[in-house]
Amino acid sequence: MGGTAVESLRELLRGEVTGPQDAGYDEARAIYNAMIDRRPAVIARCADTTDVRAVVRYARDTGMDLTVRGGGHSGGGLCLADGALMLDLSGLRWVRVDPESRTAVVGGGSRLGDLDHEAHGYGLATPAGIMSTTGVGGLTVGGGHGYLTRAYGLTADNLLAADVVLADGSFVRASADEHTDLFWALRGGGGNFGVVTAFTYALHPVDDVGLGVTLWDPQHIGAVLRWYREYLPAADEELYGFFATLTVPPGPPFPEEIHHRKMCGVVWCHTGATDEESLSKAFADVAEPAPPAFHFATPMPYPAVQSMFDELIPKGLQWYWRGDFFDRITDGAIDVHRTFLENIPTELSTMHLYPVDGAAHRPGPMDTAWAYRDAVWSGVIGGISPEPADAERIRDWAVNYWEALHPHSMGGAYVNFLGADEGQDRVRATYRGHYDRLAEVKRTYDPDNVFHHNQNIRPAEG
């Protein structure tokens, strides 16, 4: 079947088609998480929307299992399956910015860095993630949050329209005026409803921003978190700061005396403080919970902030992650964070609490498929290592950490932080009361569940 598919798809597509016998197959199937090692029957790297439609129709006509890869950052490797037809969107990598309307139209295979680079040329940006290598597609349809979220909302809140190839190979445009049920579902419902070949985003005036990094010794984690849980939600929405537990990486800007030490800290981004004097005022309170072991602040172009973790956490590492939403940081949760900071298994393993308040709280609870408008933080626990031998150790740490922390959570998670092995109950918890409505939209646009390699929403019966 795989050999026939390769031959047939090469006749149908403008883009490159790769099978297991072809040179470059292993490179073509590799995704961000090297813990995932699966062998698709054929990889179709689409060159345009017509190619995407042809691949979807071919999968339907032949009964081949279909997966869709955008940036390949799925922690659970949901874009990759043994024996499947992988629809690879990396050929649709382009950005067009209209500075007058402050909008950008972005190809479905683009990375965040592509959008950041092009929009920055006009002093514009939209909220989207914290790594430039992340694909726009999976991030956006999952909801999407990042450094600009407190100021400008979720990525999905800034989505104006989407060009979508449906499960029957047809093409539609979803927006506030067209296919409104689909547009609602795409803003947080994940990759359940079709293949988005282009996104249209609203942009905001963002040029240089103020980057800050503050680290404290681990014995101060209780004081820091009790300060942070009150300080950040009350702060101006121009200020963003995600809390982290980590091992300090060697290299700048960190001094050698703190290299390889376990710390807790906050990575700050300020859209209003963009010079040395204003940054000094903006971060005047960081010594309040305890004297920092390290504090660094500097103006920086927004794309540089977005890409500063790219080299630290490149493609090809072992990954296992779990997530949850939180509306408060309880004293019990602080005790859990303290325990697992002491037991970080590898130098890259970490825990982050990303703020999802501020402007992200302004849309109504029913406005989009994102079901946690009352969440204040989106947490993720990431076991990470370059060594395959560490796979079990980092997984156990992440799972044990999550199990200890989960009772202090809101019950569901950002869909892009769900593991592939967490089960349908976790998917339902992530969508709360939106699940049944999403299942109805799924029945309308994908009644046969063609797009099921995701955190799956099953079509409603009837």
Side-chain angles (χ1 to χ4, degrees):
M1 182 69 187
T4 301
V6 170
E7 295 171 4
S8 299
L9 287 167
R10 280 178 178 158
E11 293 179 0
L12 289 171
L13 306 185
R14 295 180 66 196
E16 184 177 359
V17 179
T18 305
Q21 305 305 315
D22 294 322
Y25 171 76
D26 285 335
E27 181 180 355
R29 71 185 177 92
I31 60 172
Y32 192 73
N33 185 1
M35 192 182 288
I36 311 299
D37 183 16
R38 300 178 188 140
R39 299 181 64 83
V42 57
I43 301 165
R45 185 175 183 268
C46 298
D48 50 33
T49 298
T50 298
D51 276 4
V52 173
R53 297 180 67 192
V55 171
V56 172
R57 285 172 174 163
Y58 184 87
R60 284 199 64 115
D61 291 347
T62 62
M64 286 193 77
D65 203 19
L66 180 67
T67 70
V68 181
R69 179 172 68 185
H73 267 245
S74 167
L78 298 173
C79 53
L80 190 64
D82 289 326
L85 165 54
M86 177 198 278
L87 192 164
D88 180 1
L89 288 167
S90 61
L92 282 74
R93 193 171 174 180
W94 47 267
V95 178
R96 295 194 302 269
V97 171
D98 181 344
E100 292 190 7
S101 64
R102 290 184 178 174
T103 59
V105 184
V106 182
S110 302
R111 309 294 190 263
L112 300 188
D114 302 327
L115 172 57
D116 295 335
H117 170 79
E118 190 70 17
H120 184 70
Y122 303 94
L124 300 169
T126 204
I130 66 163
M131 292 189 68
S132 74
T133 56
T134 305
V136 299
L139 181 122
T140 301
V141 298
H145 52 70
Y147 291 114
L148 305 180
T149 287
R150 296 193 76 240
Y152 298 119
L154 304 175
T155 310
D157 297 337
N158 291 276
L159 182 65
L160 301 176
D163 294 350
V164 190
V165 174
L166 302 177
D168 62 358
S170 62
F171 173 85
V172 299
R173 183 172 175 84
S175 70
D177 301 314
E178 306 168 86
H179 296 280
T180 56
D181 54 345
L182 177 61
F183 186 56
W184 176 85
L186 288 172
R187 289 174 292 161
N192 279 280
F193 308 99
V195 183
V196 181
T197 59
F199 298 86
T200 303
Y201 299 103
L203 302 176
H204 305 275
V206 178
D207 198 347
D208 284 0
V209 297
L211 169 71
V213 180
T214 311
L215 300 179
W216 292 268
D217 288 319
Q219 66 266 28
H220 298 307
I221 188 171
V224 171
L225 274 172
R226 283 190 290 273
W227 168 76
Y228 171 80
R229 70 186 180 187
E230 304 296 332
Y231 176 77
L232 190 65
D236 189 278
E237 292 175 0
E238 292 181 320
L239 178 65
Y240 174 97
F242 74 82
F243 179 86
T245 60
L246 71 154
T247 303
V248 179
F254 306 112
E256 188 173 352
E257 58 266 23
I258 67 169
H259 289 178
H260 308 293
R261 285 172 53 184
K262 295 174 183 176
M263 295 269 185
C264 63
V266 179
V267 177
W268 309 97
C269 178
H270 202 303
T271 57
T274 58
D275 59 73
E276 298 291 347
E277 182 179 354
S278 60
L279 279 172
S280 179
K281 293 178 181 178
F283 298 127
D285 298 327
V286 298
E288 186 175 322
F294 172 80
H295 177 71
F296 170 81
T298 186
M300 186 177 287
Y302 177 68
V305 174
Q306 279 281 79
S307 59
M308 66 183 181
F309 293 117
D310 291 358
E311 291 187 12
L312 179 65
I313 312 176
K315 180 179 179 179
L317 302 177
Q318 305 286 307
W319 276 84
Y320 187 87
W321 64 35
R322 289 278 182 98
D324 263 324
F325 285 120
F326 301 88
D327 58 359
R328 59 182 59 88
I329 300 172
T330 66
D331 289 345
I334 291 172
D335 291 338
V336 173
H337 291 307
R338 179 184 295 109
T339 297
F340 284 88
L341 168 58
E342 294 170 356
N343 297 302
I344 289 178
T346 61
E347 290 213 344
L348 291 175
S349 295
T350 187
M351 185 284 305
H352 293 173
L353 291 172
Y354 298 109
V356 287
D357 62 330
H361 278 186
R362 284 200 275 279
M366 302 303 295
D367 288 353
T368 67
W370 178 275
Y372 280 82
R373 291 293 174 181
D374 50 344
V376 182
W377 289 279
S378 171
V380 65
I381 300 159
I384 312 169
S385 174
E387 300 298 331
D390 287 335
E392 183 175 356
R393 189 157 64 105
I394 62 176
R395 184 190 184 282
D396 288 347
W397 177 79
V399 171
N400 292 338
Y401 196 161
W402 179 86
E403 289 178 345
L405 193 60
H406 183 63
H408 304 278
S409 77
M410 299 176 74
Y414 174 39
V415 68
N416 290 340
F417 289 159
L418 287 181
D421 55 353
E422 295 190 56
Q424 196 67 16
D425 286 346
R426 281 285 281 162
V427 177
R428 283 185 170 271
T430 287
Y431 290 114
R432 284 171 146 178
H434 290 347
Y435 186 89
D436 289 344
R437 181 178 174 185
L438 286 163
E440 292 289 344
V441 178
K442 178 75 168 179
R443 180 173 64 181
T444 299
Y445 291 96
D446 184 15
D448 298 321
N449 207 7
V450 171
F451 301 113
H452 62 273
H453 283 282
N454 44 47
Q455 300 297 348
N456 196 233
I457 297 165
R458 295 168 184 165
E461 297 179 0

